[in-house]
Amino acid sequence: VQLQASGGGLVQAGGSLRLSCAASGRTFSSYAMGWFRQAPGKEREFVAAISRSLGNTYYADSVKGRFTISRDNAKNTVYLQMNSLKPEDTAVYYCAAKSPVYGSSIYYRLREYDYWGQGTQVTVSS
């Protein structure tokens, strides 16, 4: 599967952005999906994940209550709605897909994911 992330940009602290990740192929609904981010000089870290079905979600503590992950299987797209953005949210954001998956499991470890998008830059100014 190929993943294309978009929607990044420059926003002031307190603002919002919605990232999208479009997937190729006809089996998108069989993939568990996740968002990760990497700030300059830091390791890539988990942000949010969603199961292939039932809409189970899981968030990093740093974004819980501010970010929302969702998916539209008819559009082969996963979203990350980011509200109340902070300067520390500045990073390149990557979407990732995992297959095969079992049931409605969600995954938060980098090594569990099989496919990665190219990343989209999010910059939050103070």
Side-chain angles (χ1 to χ4, degrees):
V1 63
Q2 292 185 327
L3 304 173
Q4 181 73 39
S6 62
L10 173 64
V11 64
Q12 290 188 332
S16 298
L17 282 174
R18 187 176 82 156
L19 306 184
S20 299
C21 176
S24 64
R26 293 176 290 180
T27 58
F28 177 74
S29 62
S30 68
Y31 292 90
M33 301 296 296
W35 286 97
F36 293 77
R37 66 186 182 187
Q38 187 166 18
K42 295 187 177 181
E43 294 185 349
R44 194 170 299 189
E45 64 177 7
F46 170 74
V47 175
I50 189 166
S51 62
R52 65 173 184 173
S53 62
L54 299 183
N56 295 336
T57 57
Y58 183 67
Y59 298 92
D61 287 344
S62 58
V63 307
K64 199 173 297 182
R66 300 187 298 122
F67 291 11
T68 303
I69 188 172
S70 61
R71 66 190 296 161
D72 185 338
N73 287 341
K75 295 183 178 180
N76 283 12
T77 302
V78 63
Y79 304 98
L80 185 67
Q81 177 67 43
M82 306 186 296
N83 298 329
S84 302
L85 282 161
K86 305 175 181 180
E88 51 263 44
D89 294 318
T90 295
V92 177
Y93 283 71
Y94 299 88
C95 59
K98 174 176 173 57
S99 180
V101 300
Y102 303 97
S104 297
S105 299
I106 51 177
Y107 303 87
Y108 60 91
R109 298 183 180 91
L110 273 73
R111 64 178 182 270
E112 295 178 303
Y113 284 85
D114 305 295
Y115 306 97
W116 292 84
Q118 86 291 358
T120 184
Q121 175 71 48
V122 172
T123 303
V124 184
S125 63
S126 56

